[in-house]
Short mmCIF file of all heavy atoms in Angstrom, two decimals:
data_model
loop_
_atom_site.label_atom_id
_atom_site.label_comp_id
_atom_site.label_asym_id
_atom_site.label_seq_id
_atom_site.Cartn_x
_atom_site.Cartn_y
_atom_site.Cartn_z
N THR A 22 33.07 1.01 -34.74
CA THR A 22 34.11 -0.02 -34.67
C THR A 22 34.34 -0.45 -33.23
O THR A 22 34.40 -1.65 -32.94
CB THR A 22 35.42 0.51 -35.29
OG1 THR A 22 35.19 0.82 -36.66
CG2 THR A 22 36.53 -0.51 -35.18
N ALA A 23 34.44 0.50 -32.33
CA ALA A 23 34.67 0.17 -30.91
C ALA A 23 33.52 -0.66 -30.35
O ALA A 23 33.75 -1.65 -29.65
CB ALA A 23 34.84 1.45 -30.09
N VAL A 24 32.29 -0.29 -30.68
CA VAL A 24 31.12 -1.01 -30.18
C VAL A 24 31.07 -2.43 -30.76
O VAL A 24 30.77 -3.38 -30.05
CB VAL A 24 29.82 -0.23 -30.48
CG1 VAL A 24 28.59 -1.08 -30.26
CG2 VAL A 24 29.77 1.03 -29.62
N SER A 25 31.39 -2.56 -32.03
CA SER A 25 31.33 -3.90 -32.64
C SER A 25 32.46 -4.80 -32.13
O SER A 25 32.27 -6.00 -31.95
CB SER A 25 31.37 -3.81 -34.16
OG SER A 25 32.63 -3.40 -34.62
N GLN A 26 33.65 -4.23 -31.87
CA GLN A 26 34.78 -5.03 -31.41
C GLN A 26 34.75 -5.31 -29.92
O GLN A 26 35.25 -6.34 -29.47
CB GLN A 26 36.09 -4.36 -31.79
CG GLN A 26 36.35 -4.36 -33.27
CD GLN A 26 37.65 -3.69 -33.65
OE1 GLN A 26 38.33 -3.07 -32.83
NE2 GLN A 26 38.02 -3.80 -34.91
N CYS A 27 34.19 -4.40 -29.15
CA CYS A 27 34.14 -4.55 -27.69
C CYS A 27 32.76 -4.13 -27.19
O CYS A 27 32.59 -3.06 -26.59
CB CYS A 27 35.22 -3.68 -27.03
SG CYS A 27 36.89 -4.04 -27.58
N PRO A 28 31.75 -4.96 -27.41
CA PRO A 28 30.37 -4.56 -27.10
C PRO A 28 30.08 -4.30 -25.62
O PRO A 28 29.09 -3.64 -25.31
CB PRO A 28 29.53 -5.70 -27.65
CG PRO A 28 30.46 -6.85 -27.79
CD PRO A 28 31.83 -6.28 -28.00
N ARG A 29 30.91 -4.77 -24.73
CA ARG A 29 30.67 -4.53 -23.29
C ARG A 29 31.45 -3.31 -22.78
O ARG A 29 31.30 -2.92 -21.63
CB ARG A 29 31.03 -5.77 -22.49
CG ARG A 29 30.11 -6.92 -22.82
CD ARG A 29 30.29 -8.17 -22.01
NE ARG A 29 31.32 -8.10 -21.00
CZ ARG A 29 32.05 -9.13 -20.60
NH1 ARG A 29 31.87 -10.31 -21.14
NH2 ARG A 29 32.97 -9.00 -19.67
N GLN A 30 32.23 -2.72 -23.62
CA GLN A 30 33.02 -1.55 -23.26
C GLN A 30 32.17 -0.29 -23.29
O GLN A 30 31.32 -0.13 -24.14
CB GLN A 30 34.17 -1.41 -24.26
CG GLN A 30 35.04 -0.19 -24.06
CD GLN A 30 36.22 -0.23 -25.00
OE1 GLN A 30 37.15 -0.96 -24.77
NE2 GLN A 30 36.16 0.55 -26.07
N LYS A 31 32.39 0.60 -22.35
CA LYS A 31 31.73 1.91 -22.34
C LYS A 31 32.65 2.94 -22.99
O LYS A 31 33.87 2.86 -22.87
CB LYS A 31 31.39 2.35 -20.90
CG LYS A 31 30.29 1.51 -20.28
CD LYS A 31 29.01 1.69 -21.04
CE LYS A 31 27.86 0.95 -20.41
NZ LYS A 31 26.63 1.08 -21.18
N GLU A 32 32.05 3.90 -23.65
CA GLU A 32 32.80 4.93 -24.36
C GLU A 32 32.66 6.27 -23.65
O GLU A 32 31.60 6.58 -23.12
CB GLU A 32 32.29 5.07 -25.80
CG GLU A 32 32.29 3.79 -26.59
CD GLU A 32 33.66 3.19 -26.80
OE1 GLU A 32 34.65 3.95 -26.91
OE2 GLU A 32 33.77 1.95 -26.84
N VAL A 33 33.72 7.07 -23.67
CA VAL A 33 33.72 8.42 -23.14
C VAL A 33 34.24 9.34 -24.24
O VAL A 33 35.29 9.07 -24.82
CB VAL A 33 34.61 8.54 -21.88
CG1 VAL A 33 34.69 9.99 -21.41
CG2 VAL A 33 34.11 7.64 -20.77
N LEU A 34 33.49 10.38 -24.55
CA LEU A 34 33.89 11.32 -25.59
C LEU A 34 34.41 12.61 -24.95
O LEU A 34 33.78 13.14 -24.04
CB LEU A 34 32.71 11.65 -26.50
CG LEU A 34 31.99 10.47 -27.14
CD1 LEU A 34 30.85 10.97 -28.02
CD2 LEU A 34 32.94 9.61 -27.94
N LEU A 35 35.54 13.10 -25.45
CA LEU A 35 36.12 14.35 -24.99
C LEU A 35 36.36 15.24 -26.20
O LEU A 35 36.80 14.75 -27.24
CB LEU A 35 37.46 14.10 -24.29
CG LEU A 35 37.46 13.10 -23.15
CD1 LEU A 35 38.89 12.81 -22.70
CD2 LEU A 35 36.64 13.63 -22.00
N GLY A 36 36.08 16.52 -26.06
CA GLY A 36 36.31 17.41 -27.19
C GLY A 36 36.55 18.83 -26.76
O GLY A 36 35.98 19.29 -25.77
N TYR A 37 37.38 19.50 -27.51
CA TYR A 37 37.63 20.93 -27.30
C TYR A 37 37.44 21.66 -28.62
O TYR A 37 37.93 21.20 -29.67
CB TYR A 37 39.06 21.16 -26.78
CG TYR A 37 39.39 22.63 -26.69
CD1 TYR A 37 38.85 23.42 -25.69
CD2 TYR A 37 40.22 23.23 -27.63
CE1 TYR A 37 39.12 24.77 -25.62
CE2 TYR A 37 40.50 24.58 -27.57
CZ TYR A 37 39.95 25.35 -26.56
OH TYR A 37 40.21 26.70 -26.50
N SER A 38 36.75 22.75 -28.60
CA SER A 38 36.50 23.60 -29.75
C SER A 38 35.82 22.79 -30.86
O SER A 38 34.76 22.23 -30.65
CB SER A 38 37.80 24.27 -30.22
OG SER A 38 37.52 25.29 -31.16
N GLN A 39 36.43 22.69 -32.03
CA GLN A 39 35.81 21.94 -33.11
C GLN A 39 35.60 20.48 -32.71
O GLN A 39 34.59 19.87 -33.10
CB GLN A 39 36.68 22.01 -34.38
CG GLN A 39 35.97 21.50 -35.61
CD GLN A 39 36.79 21.71 -36.86
OE1 GLN A 39 37.16 20.74 -37.50
NE2 GLN A 39 37.09 22.95 -37.21
N GLY A 40 36.48 19.92 -31.90
CA GLY A 40 36.30 18.55 -31.40
C GLY A 40 35.07 18.42 -30.53
O GLY A 40 34.40 17.39 -30.53
N ALA A 41 34.74 19.47 -29.79
CA ALA A 41 33.52 19.46 -28.98
C ALA A 41 32.29 19.46 -29.89
O ALA A 41 31.32 18.75 -29.64
CB ALA A 41 33.49 20.66 -28.04
N GLU A 42 32.35 20.26 -30.94
CA GLU A 42 31.23 20.29 -31.88
C GLU A 42 31.09 18.94 -32.58
O GLU A 42 29.98 18.44 -32.77
CB GLU A 42 31.43 21.41 -32.90
CG GLU A 42 30.22 21.61 -33.77
CD GLU A 42 30.27 22.89 -34.59
OE1 GLU A 42 31.25 23.65 -34.53
OE2 GLU A 42 29.30 23.12 -35.31
N VAL A 43 32.20 18.33 -32.92
CA VAL A 43 32.17 17.00 -33.55
C VAL A 43 31.50 15.99 -32.63
O VAL A 43 30.58 15.28 -33.04
CB VAL A 43 33.60 16.53 -33.92
CG1 VAL A 43 33.62 15.03 -34.23
CG2 VAL A 43 34.14 17.32 -35.10
N SER A 44 31.92 15.92 -31.37
CA SER A 44 31.35 14.91 -30.48
C SER A 44 29.87 15.16 -30.21
O SER A 44 29.08 14.22 -30.10
CB SER A 44 32.14 14.81 -29.17
OG SER A 44 32.03 15.97 -28.40
N MET A 45 29.46 16.43 -30.15
CA MET A 45 28.03 16.70 -29.94
C MET A 45 27.22 16.37 -31.19
O MET A 45 26.11 15.85 -31.09
CB MET A 45 27.82 18.15 -29.54
CG MET A 45 28.33 18.47 -28.15
SD MET A 45 27.76 17.33 -26.86
CE MET A 45 26.00 17.59 -26.93
N ASP A 46 27.76 16.65 -32.36
CA ASP A 46 27.03 16.32 -33.59
C ASP A 46 26.93 14.81 -33.79
O ASP A 46 25.93 14.32 -34.30
CB ASP A 46 27.69 16.98 -34.80
CG ASP A 46 27.42 18.48 -34.87
OD1 ASP A 46 26.66 18.99 -34.02
OD2 ASP A 46 27.96 19.13 -35.78
N VAL A 47 27.93 14.08 -33.36
CA VAL A 47 27.86 12.61 -33.44
C VAL A 47 26.74 12.09 -32.54
O VAL A 47 25.96 11.23 -32.94
CB VAL A 47 29.21 11.96 -33.05
CG1 VAL A 47 29.06 10.47 -32.82
CG2 VAL A 47 30.24 12.20 -34.13
N THR A 48 26.66 12.60 -31.34
CA THR A 48 25.70 12.07 -30.38
C THR A 48 24.31 12.66 -30.50
O THR A 48 23.33 11.96 -30.24
CB THR A 48 26.21 12.28 -28.94
OG1 THR A 48 26.47 13.67 -28.73
CG2 THR A 48 27.47 11.48 -28.68
N ALA A 49 24.20 13.92 -30.89
CA ALA A 49 22.90 14.58 -30.92
C ALA A 49 22.46 15.00 -32.31
O ALA A 49 21.35 15.49 -32.47
CB ALA A 49 22.93 15.81 -30.01
N GLY A 50 23.30 14.84 -33.29
CA GLY A 50 22.99 15.33 -34.63
C GLY A 50 23.40 16.78 -34.76
O GLY A 50 23.70 17.45 -33.78
N ASN A 51 23.45 17.25 -35.97
CA ASN A 51 23.86 18.62 -36.25
C ASN A 51 22.65 19.51 -36.12
O ASN A 51 21.70 19.39 -36.88
CB ASN A 51 24.44 18.69 -37.66
CG ASN A 51 24.86 20.07 -38.04
OD1 ASN A 51 24.06 20.98 -38.03
ND2 ASN A 51 26.12 20.23 -38.37
N ALA A 52 22.68 20.39 -35.16
CA ALA A 52 21.53 21.23 -34.88
C ALA A 52 21.71 22.67 -35.34
O ALA A 52 20.79 23.45 -35.26
CB ALA A 52 21.22 21.21 -33.38
N GLU A 53 22.90 23.02 -35.81
CA GLU A 53 23.09 24.38 -36.30
C GLU A 53 22.13 24.62 -37.46
O GLU A 53 21.68 23.70 -38.12
CB GLU A 53 24.53 24.60 -36.77
CG GLU A 53 25.55 24.60 -35.67
CD GLU A 53 26.03 23.21 -35.30
OE1 GLU A 53 25.52 22.21 -35.82
OE2 GLU A 53 26.91 23.12 -34.47
N ASP A 54 21.86 25.88 -37.73
CA ASP A 54 20.95 26.22 -38.83
C ASP A 54 21.39 25.52 -40.11
O ASP A 54 22.54 25.63 -40.52
CB ASP A 54 20.91 27.73 -39.04
CG ASP A 54 20.26 28.44 -37.87
OD1 ASP A 54 19.28 27.89 -37.33
OD2 ASP A 54 20.72 29.53 -37.50
N GLY A 55 20.48 24.79 -40.71
CA GLY A 55 20.78 24.09 -41.96
C GLY A 55 21.55 22.81 -41.79
O GLY A 55 22.02 22.24 -42.75
N GLY A 56 21.70 22.33 -40.57
CA GLY A 56 22.47 21.12 -40.31
C GLY A 56 21.85 19.90 -40.97
O GLY A 56 20.64 19.78 -41.10
N THR A 57 22.71 18.98 -41.41
CA THR A 57 22.23 17.79 -42.12
C THR A 57 22.76 16.49 -41.52
O THR A 57 22.55 15.43 -42.08
CB THR A 57 22.65 17.85 -43.60
OG1 THR A 57 24.08 17.93 -43.67
CG2 THR A 57 22.03 19.04 -44.30
N VAL A 58 23.48 16.55 -40.41
CA VAL A 58 24.07 15.36 -39.80
C VAL A 58 23.09 14.76 -38.80
O VAL A 58 22.62 15.44 -37.90
CB VAL A 58 25.40 15.71 -39.09
CG1 VAL A 58 25.96 14.51 -38.38
CG2 VAL A 58 26.40 16.26 -40.09
N ALA A 59 22.79 13.48 -38.97
CA ALA A 59 21.90 12.78 -38.03
C ALA A 59 22.72 12.22 -36.87
O ALA A 59 23.90 11.92 -37.02
CB ALA A 59 21.18 11.65 -38.75
N ALA A 60 22.08 12.10 -35.73
CA ALA A 60 22.74 11.51 -34.56
C ALA A 60 23.04 10.04 -34.83
O ALA A 60 22.34 9.37 -35.57
CB ALA A 60 21.83 11.63 -33.35
N VAL A 61 24.10 9.54 -34.22
CA VAL A 61 24.45 8.13 -34.32
C VAL A 61 23.29 7.30 -33.75
O VAL A 61 22.54 7.76 -32.89
CB VAL A 61 25.79 7.86 -33.58
CG1 VAL A 61 25.64 7.96 -32.08
CG2 VAL A 61 26.35 6.52 -33.96
N SER A 62 23.14 6.09 -34.22
CA SER A 62 22.03 5.25 -33.77
C SER A 62 22.12 4.95 -32.27
O SER A 62 23.21 4.96 -31.69
CB SER A 62 22.02 3.93 -34.55
OG SER A 62 23.13 3.14 -34.17
N THR A 63 20.99 4.67 -31.67
CA THR A 63 20.98 4.36 -30.23
C THR A 63 21.71 3.06 -29.93
O THR A 63 22.18 2.88 -28.81
CB THR A 63 19.53 4.28 -29.69
OG1 THR A 63 18.81 3.33 -30.47
CG2 THR A 63 18.85 5.63 -29.76
N SER A 64 21.83 2.17 -30.91
CA SER A 64 22.61 0.94 -30.68
C SER A 64 24.08 1.26 -30.44
O SER A 64 24.79 0.50 -29.79
CB SER A 64 22.46 -0.03 -31.85
OG SER A 64 23.03 0.51 -33.03
N VAL A 65 24.53 2.42 -30.91
CA VAL A 65 25.90 2.87 -30.67
C VAL A 65 25.93 3.84 -29.49
O VAL A 65 26.74 3.70 -28.57
CB VAL A 65 26.49 3.53 -31.93
CG1 VAL A 65 27.85 4.14 -31.64
CG2 VAL A 65 26.59 2.52 -33.06
N SER A 66 25.03 4.83 -29.48
CA SER A 66 25.06 5.84 -28.41
C SER A 66 24.78 5.26 -27.04
O SER A 66 25.21 5.83 -26.03
CB SER A 66 24.09 6.98 -28.71
OG SER A 66 22.75 6.53 -28.70
N SER A 67 24.12 4.13 -26.97
CA SER A 67 23.85 3.51 -25.67
C SER A 67 25.13 3.03 -24.98
O SER A 67 25.13 2.76 -23.78
CB SER A 67 22.89 2.33 -25.83
OG SER A 67 23.46 1.32 -26.64
#
């Protein structure tokens, strides 16, 4: 939503504990054993 509404805006992700795991799984995909979450597309992560 942020990228589509403000395409020139840069994003900064902050996370602590479970929030840190959430932000890493969004950007890098879920890498824990048996993980099934794919990383967000490069059109967003860029």
Side-chain angles (χ1 to χ4, degrees):
T22 299
V24 167
S25 70
Q26 291 180 352
C27 302
R29 294 185 1 212
Q30 176 174 284
K31 291 296 184 182
E32 305 297 327
V33 175
L34 306 180
L35 306 172
Y37 174 73
S38 192
Q39 192 174 117
E42 187 168 2
V43 165
S44 67
M45 291 309 298
D46 285 356
V47 167
T48 56
N51 179 301
E53 291 85 355
D54 292 322
T57 59
V58 176
V61 71
S62 69
T63 55
S64 65
V65 173
S66 65
S67 63

